[in-house]
Amino acid sequence: MSASRHPALSSTDPELASYVAAEEVLQAETLRLIPSENYVSAAVLEASGTVLQNKYSEGYPGRRYYEGQQNIDRVEALAVERAKGLFGVDHANVQPYSGSPANLAVYLAFAQPGDTVMGMALPMGGHLTHGWGVSATGSWFRGVQYGVRATADPETNGLIDYDAVRDLALAERPKLIFCGGTALPRTIDFAAFAEIAREAGSVLVADVAHIAGLIAGGAHPSPAEHVDVISTTTHKTLRGPRGAMLMCREEHAKAIDKAVFPGLQGGPHNQTTAGIAVALHEAAQPSFVRYAHAVVANAKALAAALLERGFDLVSGGTDNHLVLIDLTGKEVPGKVAAKALDRAGIVVNYNTVPFDPRKPFDPSGIRIGTPSLTSRGLSTEHMPLVADWISRAVDAAAKGDEQALRAIRAEVADLMAAFPAPGLPLS
Ligand SMILES: *Cc1c(COP(=O)(O)O)cnc(C)c1O
C-alpha cells in the first residue's frame, strides 16, 4: 500500500514507510471515537506536505524579515481572509504552532507573570493551559479555577455554575478568563461569560479548540460578538492540519500578533498554513454545515443509546460532539475500559469525570465523540450499534473475555470497510 502511495518515502526509508502504512490501516479499520481527532481531506493532506515547507518567513504578509515571500504571503493572506470570513472576526493570526502555544501567546499579550488568571479546572473538563498547576500557565501565573455543579437535580447536575463563576471572578478580578474546555458536553453560554468578564474587568478568551468546526457549521453558537479573543486549534472538529489560530477584534490585533511573533515563535509553518487555508475553504461549503449538524445529531443519538444501555453520562447527555461516560457504577474504571475498547477496535481515551474519586492517571470516565465517524459518513442509524459495541466491550473487560473483544474488533472492521475515511487509501 505505502509503496504506491508514498514511493519516495518507501524507497528512502522503508522502515518509517511501514509505520505510516500500518497507521493508515489502523485508522481505516478502527472506530475512532476520540473527540479531539478527525480525518483531514486528501486536499488538506496534500497542502500540508508541499515545498512551502522549505521557506522561512518570520513576520507577517507584507512585513517579513526574509525575501522571496511572493507566494508565501498569498498563502497566509488567503488563510487569514478565510478565517475572518468564516468566524466573523476583524483579525486572525494563523501562525501559532498548536493550541497550547496559541494560549500561551494570549497570556503574553494580556498578562504579566504572577497575575491572576481564571479558567475551568482540568478535572472538571478544562484544559491544562487555562491555568492548571502542572502547566507553565499555572506556575507562571496564579490560576483560579471554576467547575461544574454537583446537584441532585439532573437538569443542572454537571453544568457550569455561572453564579459561582461570577462570584469567583468578582472576588479575584483575574486579568484573563478562559471559557471552553476539552471534556464539556454542553453548550457554552458566551454571553453569560461576557457579562461576567465585563463586571470583573477581565479579558475574555473563548478557547473553542474542540468546537470550532461546530461553530463554523452553525451547530454551536459563535463567541465572535461576545469575547475579546478566540483561540482554536485547527485539527479537531474543524478538520484541518495540526495547528491553531487566534482571532480578535481590531483593538487587540497588534498585541496578539506581537505575542505570537516575535514574542513566542520564529518562522511560521507555511505548509501548515496552506493546509489551514484549504480546511477553512472546505468549512465554508454547504456540505460542512451538514457535517457539523450531523456530528451533533450522531452524538445525541449515541448518548441516548448509551443511556438506554445503562451508562451514566456526565450532565446526562450532550449538546455537541462529545459524550463523557462515567463508569463509577460499572465494574471497570476508565483506563481498563479504554484499553479493552482499544483491543476491540474502538479508540477512546480515559478521562476524569467531575468530582472524580479516582486519580487522573487512573480515572473513572471515558471520553468519546463523533467527529471522526461522521467524517466517514456514519449516521444516527448506526449509533445503537456503536453503543452496543461499547457496552459489550465494557462487559467483556469486566469478565476478562478477550475472545469477545476480538469478535467486536472484526465486526467494527467490517462496518468501517463500508465507510472509507477521507484522506486514506481505499483498501
Ligand atoms: C486541544 C486543546 C488545546 C491544545 O491544543 P494542542 O494543539 O494539543 O496544544 C487547548 N485548548 C483546548 C480547549 C483544547 O481542547
Side-chain angles (χ1 to χ4, degrees), residues 252-382:
H252 299 310
K254 271 215 173 90
I256 288 291
D257 283 355
K258 237 180 87 195
V260 174
F261 172 84
L264 273 183
Q265 300 187 173
H269 293 179
N270 299 311
Q271 75 285 3
T272 298
T273 306
I276 291 173
V278 175
L280 292 169
H281 177 65
E282 292 175 347
Q285 307 307 313
S287 59
F288 199 86
V289 173
R290 290 194 292 277
Y291 169 70
H293 285 87
V295 167
V296 175
N298 280 339
K300 284 179 186 288
L302 182 53
L306 287 165
L307 288 170
E308 274 173 27
R309 284 156 184 79
F311 283 96
D312 287 332
L313 307 181
V314 171
S315 84
T318 183
D319 300 325
N320 56 28
H321 64 302
L322 183 150
V323 176
L324 193 53
I325 303 177
D326 184 344
L327 295 170
T328 308
K330 299 270 176 187
E331 287 164 65
V332 286
K335 199 176 191 172
V336 174
K339 290 188 177 301
L341 282 159
D342 192 52
R343 294 199 293 284
I346 299 170
V347 188
V348 308
N349 67 275
Y350 58 86
N351 213 95
T352 53
V353 296
F355 312 103
D356 204 319
R358 305 175 64 91
K359 295 268 181 296
F361 197 60
D362 185 21
S364 299
I366 52 176
R367 190 183 68 149
I368 63 176
T370 51
S372 295
L373 64 79
T374 307
S375 291
R376 296 183 77 150
L378 268 69
S379 59
T380 51
E381 67 190 281
H382 300 106

Side-chain angles (χ1 to χ4, degrees), residues 54-66:
N54 297 340
K55 192 69 194 134
Y56 241 108
S57 36
E58 285 183 357
Y60 291 99
R63 318 173 259 139
R64 304 282 191 186
Y65 291 82
Y66 294 73

Side-chain angles (χ1 to χ4, degrees), residues 185-263:
R186 295 296 182 177
T187 301
I188 299 165
D189 188 343
F190 296 119
F193 271 106
E195 181 78 42
I196 292 165
R198 217 174 0 257
E199 279 184 72
S202 312
V203 171
L204 179 62
V205 188
D207 182 350
V208 300
H210 262 260
I211 56 174
L214 304 185
I215 292 168
H220 187 289
S222 168
E225 62 174 282
H226 300 294
V227 308
D228 296 291
V229 179
I230 301 172
S231 173
T232 186
T233 56
T234 47
H235 49 270
K236 299 181 184 174
T237 49
L238 195 55
R239 227 157 67 181
R242 307 199 78 79
M245 307 192 292
L246 290 171
M247 298 176 278
C248 61
R249 297 198 195 100
E250 197 52 50
E251 60 179 303
H252 299 310
K254 271 215 173 90
I256 288 291
D257 283 355
K258 237 180 87 195
V260 174
F261 172 84

